[in-house]
Amino acid sequence: MSARTAEELRRIVYGLPLAVVGDDDEGADLLLEGLDRVEMEAVCQALARMVTQAVEVLCEKTGEPDPKASMVRLLQAEALGIAGE
């Protein structure tokens, strides 16, 4: 059984991207600290939905016909950036 409430998980889901964007690795670690497998899965699924919705909105605004292709390009660009290429 999950130890955190839905509201606590929602705060993690919305706080994690803010911590990452703000280069607050310690804050991100604190948010994720102690999550069990089920909670981590719920957070990951919620973050994936947020990213998917954001890409769909951006594609709609820019006229991009294929949100999935856009998401793949976005993730590839991020991966290359992390790798320093």
Side-chain angles (χ1 to χ4, degrees):
M1 185 72 174
S2 179
R4 290 188 171 53
T5 66
E7 183 60 31
E8 289 172 317
L9 290 175
R10 195 172 5 266
R11 288 184 185 148
I12 292 169
V13 168
Y14 286 103
L16 193 57
L18 295 174
V20 170
V21 168
D23 284 330
D24 184 3
D25 293 337
E26 288 181 34
D29 288 345
L30 285 173
L31 287 170
L32 297 173
E33 189 175 284
L35 290 179
D36 66 24
R37 186 187 64 74
V38 172
E39 293 166 337
M40 185 66 76
E41 186 175 309
V43 168
C44 289
Q45 287 175 357
L47 288 169
R49 283 191 301 273
M50 286 174 62
V51 169
T52 300
Q53 290 170 352
V55 169
E56 287 173 350
V57 167
L58 288 172
C59 287
E60 186 177 300
K61 289 182 183 256
T62 62
E64 171 67 46
D66 187 357
K68 287 182 185 176
S70 292
M71 194 174 317
V72 168
R73 285 194 300 276
L74 176 70
L75 293 172
Q76 287 172 335
E78 183 65 23
L80 289 174
I82 289 170
E85 295 183 13

